[in-house]
Amino acid sequence: MSRVRGKARRLAPRPALLAASTAAVAAALLPLVYLAVRTAEAGLDRLAAELWTERVALLALRSLGLAAVVTAACVVLGVGAAFLVTRTDLPGRRTFAVLAALPLAVPTYIAAFAWVSTVDGLEGFWPAALVLTLCSYPYVFLPVAAALRGADPAQEEVSRSLGRSGWQTFTAVTLRQIRPATAAGGLLVALYVLSDFGAVSILRADTFTRAIFIAFDLGFDRTGALVLSSVLVALTVLLLAAETATRRRGARYARLGGARRPPARLRLGAVRWPALAALLGVAALALGVPAVSLAQRLVTGVSRPGALTEVAVAAGNSLTVSLAGAALTMLLALPLGLLVARAPGVLTTVLDRLAYLAHALPGVVIGLSLIFFGIAVAYPLYQTRWLLALAYATLFLPLAVGAVAAAAAQSPPGLEEVARSLGRGPLTVLRTVTLPLTLPGIGAGAALVFLTGMKELPATLLLRPTGTDTLATELWTATSVGAYAAAAPYAALLVAISALPTWLLVARSGLLDKEDHG
């Protein structure tokens, strides 16, 4: 009996946390489960008729093609910019480190709006690829720059001492060292492109996300939308499987020496100014075009009668739904984050991965699934802000779990053990010891979820209660009818809000440390 109890304790060392974490992950996977059930209810004949069509094949080819083109372009841009910023004597390296990360603060639908309002007739596959590349390449730049800063320079020095040229050392040693970071960033870009809705809708590029929204919003073709959503989920799972396979095959590159030392900087010589011009050109396209476009239309947009009131109401709605989403997300994330930090194991890993599965799903699929769930199962929640908050919790749960787990891992578990040895109960230990120690992570996670919820578009479009328009939905509504001046104030406020976490991300990456001074 004692052996059975010991085995059970090893599998589930924190049963209360495990139970609460299981409930949190179940809530996060609710849209996915409901999507599977409703799709199965349509019947095999109907599913086959909807699935095996030329349109679905074209959508799959176009979506995967867009993801492949944008990912390849982001890898080239991200790796090139990271190498120039971290390993060369390029002038103004710290400035370019910030400029290369700032496109993360520009939602893709705002960038698309800026380009469409600047260039007449801009629409289709390649404009969408351009805009998504300019917005997404920081996903490669940031991890690769961090990998280049942390890579062991001794391996490159050994390569050069064996007679290899600088280019040979870069391709044979440096690229191999940063390959895991490049692959992770590239797959993140692919997932992001596959789930993007705003840019492809404004630029009229036919992909799965746009087709799903049109099928539901215009024709109310539920079965067609469900089938397209299921195909999109299958493509997402394939990309996640590819990411997992890459991780398993990824080699580890250990540091040869004990203390960390910065690598020697490559002197660019005659290439210095062309490299500088290239980075300036990318920054002008990624940040300059949106900035100029918004500035040109901001005065006209703000001067419209009632514009400031409308912007204030939308901002208030964005704040309230984002706050509700952040509160619900942190409530679900707290037990899972503590479980990850305090009781690692097979069950914990499975729960953590399942939470990431929901995070990888497109917002339009989450929104569509929760609409069906609200109508058929939880009608009191339908057309309320709490259903939208549940969508945010589903989409952003891993962001909060990571912040809580990181903070809990840095706090000594011995303090909790001392409190228990003094006769404190589990809830008292949680309230008086664990939560105060984890408070910085809880605050960081709540801020991250709140700010991400402010920018979220597709789920908000589908799930917002009637009459509740946010900054993102007002922007989308205005751009869909070509009212670019009216959209500018909403876009400018969203970019300003999003810039703060982006700056913090760059500062925490170490790219602004003294050793990177230009």
Side-chain angles (χ1 to χ4, degrees):
M1 189 67 179
S2 60
R3 185 178 299 176
V4 174
R5 287 179 179 173
K7 188 175 181 180
R9 195 175 293 113
R10 283 195 297 274
L11 285 174
R14 301 287 183 99
L17 278 181
L18 182 62
S21 302
T22 304
V25 173
L29 292 180
L30 201 57
L32 187 60
V33 173
Y34 197 74
L35 177 67
V37 171
R38 289 303 305 267
T39 304
E41 287 177 355
L44 288 178
D45 293 339
R46 180 69 189 278
L47 289 178
E50 293 280 350
L51 186 60
W52 303 113
T53 63
E54 182 181 353
R55 178 170 176 263
V56 172
L58 287 175
L59 285 173
L61 286 175
R62 201 172 289 124
S63 299
L64 290 175
L66 185 64
V69 169
V70 174
T71 302
C74 285
V75 167
V76 172
L77 272 182
V79 172
F83 185 81
L84 289 172
V85 167
T86 60
R87 292 298 185 87
T88 70
D89 62 347
L90 187 81
R93 293 187 296 278
R94 293 180 70 195
T95 301
F96 280 111
V98 176
L99 291 178
L102 268 183
L104 282 180
V106 184
T108 57
Y109 53 86
I110 290 182
F113 148 71
W115 279 90
V116 166
S117 61
T118 303
V119 183
D120 291 334
L122 191 72
E123 62 180 42
F125 182 93
W126 292 107
L130 172 66
V131 170
L132 286 170
T133 299
L134 293 173
C135 291
S136 306
Y137 84 90
Y139 288 115
V140 178
F141 167 78
L142 285 171
V144 170
L148 284 170
R149 289 188 75 255
D152 189 355
Q155 298 182 28
E156 297 172 343
E157 293 165 1
V158 170
S159 175
R160 292 193 194 94
S161 70
L162 294 174
R164 286 177 173 171
S165 65
W167 176 250
Q168 288 173 328
T169 298
F170 176 73
T171 55
V173 179
T174 309
L175 284 183
R176 289 174 62 86
Q177 287 180 310
I178 63 173
R179 188 173 67 85
T182 307
L187 285 168
L188 195 59
V189 170
L191 286 172
Y192 185 82
V193 173
L194 209 55
S195 64
D196 179 77
F197 167 73
V200 297
S201 295
I202 292 175
L203 292 166
R204 301 181 186 282
D206 282 328
T207 60
F208 268 112
T209 50
R210 184 167 183 254
I212 292 168
F213 186 82
I214 291 175
F216 178 78
D217 192 51
L218 298 183
F220 213 78
D221 178 11
R222 293 186 178 184
T223 304
L226 284 170
V227 170
L228 293 178
S229 299
S230 301
V231 176
L232 187 55
V233 170
L235 295 178
T236 303
V237 172
L238 283 177
L239 285 176
L240 286 173
E243 180 190 26
T244 304
T246 303
R247 285 182 179 179
R248 286 174 179 172
R249 292 195 302 267
R252 295 178 62 86
Y253 297 93
R255 182 176 295 281
L256 297 179
R260 179 182 183 277
R261 58 187 175 89
R265 294 199 177 276
L266 177 68
R267 294 188 177 279
L268 292 174
V271 186
R272 195 180 195 195
W273 300 114
L276 186 67
L279 289 186
L280 283 174
V282 172
L285 293 176
L287 301 171
V289 171
V292 172
S293 176
L294 291 179
Q296 286 176 341
R297 289 164 178 80
L298 189 59
V299 176
T300 306
V302 172
S303 62
R304 288 185 306 109
L308 291 179
T309 303
E310 293 171 2
V311 172
V313 170
N317 288 333
S318 290
L319 289 172
T320 54
V321 297
S322 299
L323 281 173
L328 182 60
T329 306
M330 294 313 300
L331 187 64
L332 297 175
L334 186 59
L336 184 54
L338 293 177
L339 187 74
V340 170
R342 293 288 188 260
V346 176
L347 290 177
T348 301
T349 302
V350 170
L351 290 174
D352 191 37
R353 291 293 97 187
L354 286 175
Y356 274 90
L357 176 63
H359 175 63
L361 296 179
V364 67
V365 175
I366 299 294
L368 193 60
S369 302
L370 286 179
I371 283 178
F372 297 143
F373 173 75
I375 293 174
V377 179
Y379 194 74
L381 287 178
Y382 184 62
Q383 281 287 308
T384 69
R385 300 188 180 200
W386 286 109
L387 195 60
L388 182 55
L390 178 59
Y392 290 167
T394 298
L395 287 167
F396 309 134
L397 181 63
L399 305 180
V401 169
V404 172
Q410 291 177 350
S411 61
L415 295 178
E416 298 170 2
E417 295 169 2
V418 169
R420 288 193 203 95
S421 70
L422 295 175
R424 303 279 181 88
L427 288 179
T428 305
V429 173
L430 177 68
R431 180 174 55 83
T432 59
V433 180
T434 307
L435 287 183
L437 290 174
T438 318
L439 205 54
I442 295 173
L448 191 57
V449 173
F450 170 77
L451 291 168
T452 312
M454 291 280 290
K455 296 190 300 179
E456 207 285 332
L457 177 62
T460 309
L461 272 175
L462 291 170
L463 293 169
R464 73 189 192 281
T466 302
T468 303
D469 289 310
T470 66
L471 290 172
T473 61
E474 288 281 22
L475 169 64
W476 191 86
T477 302
T479 54
S480 63
V481 295
Y484 301 128
Y490 304 104
L493 189 53
L494 265 177
V495 172
I497 293 172
S498 305
L500 177 60
T502 305
W503 170 266
L504 294 175
L505 193 63
V506 176
R508 292 187 61 180
S509 69
L511 293 176
L512 304 182
D513 289 350
K514 290 183 178 179
E515 68 179 30
D516 292 310
H517 283 184

